[in-house]
Amino acid sequence: MKTLSPLTAQFVAHFGEMGSRWGINRTVGQIYALIFVSEKPLNADEIADALEFSRSNVSIGLKELQSWRLVRLKHQSGDRREYFEAPQDVWEIFKSLAEERRRREIDPTLSMLRAAMLEAPSTAADTYAQNRMKQMHELIELSSTWFDDVQRLSPETLARLMRMGSSVKTVLDMTDKLKVVGRKKTASATGVSQ
Amino acid sequence: MKTLSPLTAQFVAHFGEMGSRWGINRTVGQIYALIFVSEKPLNADEIADALEFSRSNVSIGLKELQSWRLVRLKHQSGDRREYFEAPQDVWEIFKSLAEERRRREIDPTLSMLRAAMLEAPSTAADTYAQNRMKQMHELIELSSTWFDDVQRLSPETLARLMRMGSSVKTVLDMTDKLKVVGRKKTASATGVSQ
DNA sequence: TCGTGTTTTCAGTAATTCTTGAAAATTCGA
DNA sequence: TCGAATTTTCAAGAATTACTGAAAACACGA
């Protein structure tokens, strides 16, 4: 790493180390970290230079980051090179990450499970296995459609929900009560909104 | 794979393939899949035999799965060997997974960010970088304490919340209104409960 | 304590994934 | 269309991670 401030160097190094745990590699993690904390968009040469990676490695890393929608291209007028920046809004980043992870890590499993549900079990063991798969399918299905829904909330609403923490239960209970007492009044509570 | 029904074989194979994406390896994924769909606890030899892995590989895999709390030891009376089973409740599995992932993938980053917050930025670039880190820190902190909270909800409450999907916003809005109209009545909505 | 059945460790090998420099492809202005 | 600037691809080597068999360690009944 060349000419990185200690603060940034520390941040970049951490992302490198964590990379493998996140399911990306060291290089990709470091490239992202660098772009994330950089005020101005960076081009591939600047990145290769700062991180002391080969130019080709940076190219591959940027492709990967783009596929995760964690960085985006931003052209600088009067410069032919491609510049990259990370989305400003951290909520947006969070959403991209969740969405992409879902697409890659969850959806294939859901398809597999759906297919498995359709097979006719031939033995008692198979019946049990299929039942277990069904439980797994239901849980994943439920949490992933929930994630879809929540993803559509505005950052503000999402933040509000999160700040509520577990007191959300009280609200849920309250809602149920209201539903029982005056069905009509709270009917809107089952509708979908932004 | 020896003597696995096509249904189970398919499931096991999928977990093997997905393993790398989940951040575990092929072996570990397959061992887990096999235990998950098996009605009776399995011992290491049975697993090694069914999956055609070496005994030592299975031993390592089981250690890994135990560290994730995805399988647990269950002794069979009159048998000295160790038997393993997966928790029955899929919600419990979900929680273990989330908790462990948080511990390994999130907490270290939170510490790093906290440390970075304390450093005095020396340049304008550093000030910007530190501000970005702060945004990241806030988001991660918020979502992880939220996860803590939600984790404490009963499976039923959690399922209820999930089934609500994005209509949770309406409830939130409603709660706000109630708060404004009659503060005292809804004060309990900010308390914490199971 | 010994001996047998069981699990764990470990060093070596195999497989996979990462990184690189060089060459090829692409882009775009002249 | 040409040519310079830039990005991408690719094959080979490097590094990392996974897997194995053999040996060591462990547990427990006799």
Side-chain angles (χ1 to χ4, degrees):
Chain A
M1 278 164 231
K2 248 178 196 165
T3 64
L4 288 184
S5 78
L7 185 67
T8 300
Q10 188 187 0
F11 183 76
V12 164
H14 179 85
F15 268 65
E17 286 158 26
M18 295 304 280
S20 43
R21 299 198 196 177
W22 306 120
I24 57 177
N25 68 32
R26 189 152 53 343
T27 316
V28 174
Q30 293 186 202
I31 295 174
Y32 179 69
L34 185 63
I35 295 175
F36 180 82
V37 297
S38 160
E39 185 156 18
K40 296 185 305 177
L42 301 173
N43 67 46
D45 283 317
E46 289 168 334
I47 296 167
D49 192 47
L51 264 25
E52 296 183 300
F53 295 151
S54 72
R55 182 62 187 65
S56 52
N57 205 358
V58 172
S59 176
I60 294 165
L62 286 169
K63 274 274 132 64
E64 173 96 7
L65 287 171
Q66 280 175 285
S67 83
W68 281 92
R69 281 175 300 150
L70 286 173
V71 303
R72 61 163 74 110
L73 211 56
K74 183 161 201 193
H75 281 289
Q76 305 279 285
S77 59
D79 193 332
R80 247 171 73 185
R81 284 171 294 182
E82 296 185 320
Y83 285 77
F84 296 88
E85 65 177 6
Q88 274 302 305
D89 181 2
V90 287
W91 283 99
E92 193 187 326
I93 295 172
F94 187 78
K95 284 184 188 182
S96 305
L97 217 48
E99 227 171 83
E100 208 58 35
R101 259 184 124 132
R102 193 191 152 207
R103 206 174 60 71
R104 299 173 188 213
E105 303 180 359
I106 310 290
D107 289 352
T109 301
L110 274 181
S111 321
M112 181 275 291
L113 289 171
R114 262 192 287 270
M117 301 291 80
L118 298 175
E119 282 179 35
S122 49
T123 64
D126 258 13
T127 306
Y128 181 85
Q130 199 176 43
N131 183 47
R132 288 293 270 164
M133 294 180 204
K134 193 174 163 211
Q135 290 171 32
M136 182 181 280
H137 179 264
E138 274 165 12
L139 176 62
I140 298 179
E141 184 105 283
L142 182 56
S143 23
S144 76
T145 58
W146 177 78
F147 225 95
D148 278 353
D149 288 345
V150 162
Q151 212 150 67
R152 270 182 235 111
L153 297 173
S154 63
E156 296 75 37
T157 308
L158 199 44
R160 196 143 54 103
L161 177 61
M162 286 197 171
R163 266 184 252 107
M164 268 188 117
S166 56
S167 70
V168 76
K169 177 172 190 301
T170 316
V171 178
L172 253 45
D173 288 346
M174 208 176 65
T175 316
D176 283 359
K177 256 194 198 144
L178 287 173
K179 269 186 198 158
V180 172
V181 175
R183 284 219 170 278
K184 209 157 191 186
K185 263 184 187 165
T186 56
S188 69
T190 54
V192 173
S193 70
Q194 104 108 309
Chain B
M1 278 165 231
K2 249 178 195 165
T3 63
L4 288 184
S5 78
L7 185 67
T8 300
Q10 186 188 2
F11 183 76
V12 164
H14 179 85
F15 268 64
E17 285 157 26
M18 295 304 280
S20 43
R21 300 200 196 176
W22 307 119
I24 56 176
N25 68 31
R26 189 155 56 323
T27 317
V28 174
Q30 294 187 202
I31 294 173
Y32 180 68
L34 184 64
I35 294 175
F36 180 83
V37 297
S38 159
E39 186 156 17
K40 297 185 305 176
L42 300 174
N43 67 47
D45 282 317
E46 288 168 336
I47 296 166
D49 192 47
L51 264 27
E52 295 184 299
F53 296 151
S54 72
R55 184 60 187 65
S56 51
N57 203 0
V58 172
S59 176
I60 294 165
L62 286 169
K63 275 275 134 63
E64 173 96 8
L65 286 170
Q66 279 175 284
S67 83
W68 281 92
R69 280 176 300 148
L70 286 173
V71 303
R72 61 164 74 109
L73 210 57
K74 183 161 203 194
H75 282 289
Q76 305 279 285
S77 59
D79 194 332
R80 251 171 69 186
R81 285 171 293 182
E82 296 186 321
Y83 284 77
F84 296 88
E85 65 177 5
Q88 274 302 305
D89 181 3
V90 286
W91 283 98
E92 192 187 326
I93 295 172
F94 187 79
K95 285 183 188 183
S96 304
L97 217 47
E99 227 172 83
E100 209 56 35
R101 260 184 123 133
R102 193 191 152 206
R103 205 175 61 71
R104 299 174 187 212
E105 303 181 359
I106 311 289
D107 289 352
T109 302
L110 274 180
S111 321
M112 182 274 291
L113 289 171
R114 264 193 287 270
M117 301 291 79
L118 298 175
E119 282 179 35
S122 48
T123 63
D126 258 14
T127 305
Y128 182 86
Q130 199 176 44
N131 183 49
R132 288 292 270 164
M133 294 180 204
K134 194 174 164 212
Q135 290 171 32
M136 182 181 281
H137 179 263
E138 274 165 13
L139 176 62
I140 299 179
E141 183 104 283
L142 182 56
S143 23
S144 77
T145 57
W146 176 78
F147 225 96
D148 278 354
D149 288 346
V150 163
Q151 211 150 69
R152 269 181 237 110
L153 297 173
S154 63
E156 296 73 39
T157 309
L158 199 45
R160 196 143 55 103
L161 177 61
M162 286 198 170
R163 267 185 251 105
M164 266 187 119
S166 56
S167 68
V168 76
K169 177 171 190 300
T170 315
V171 177
L172 253 45
D173 289 346
M174 208 174 66
T175 316
D176 283 358
K177 257 194 197 143
L178 286 173
K179 270 185 197 157
V180 173
V181 175
R183 284 216 170 280
K184 210 154 189 188
K185 262 184 187 165
T186 55
S188 67
T190 54
V192 172
S193 69
Q194 103 107 310

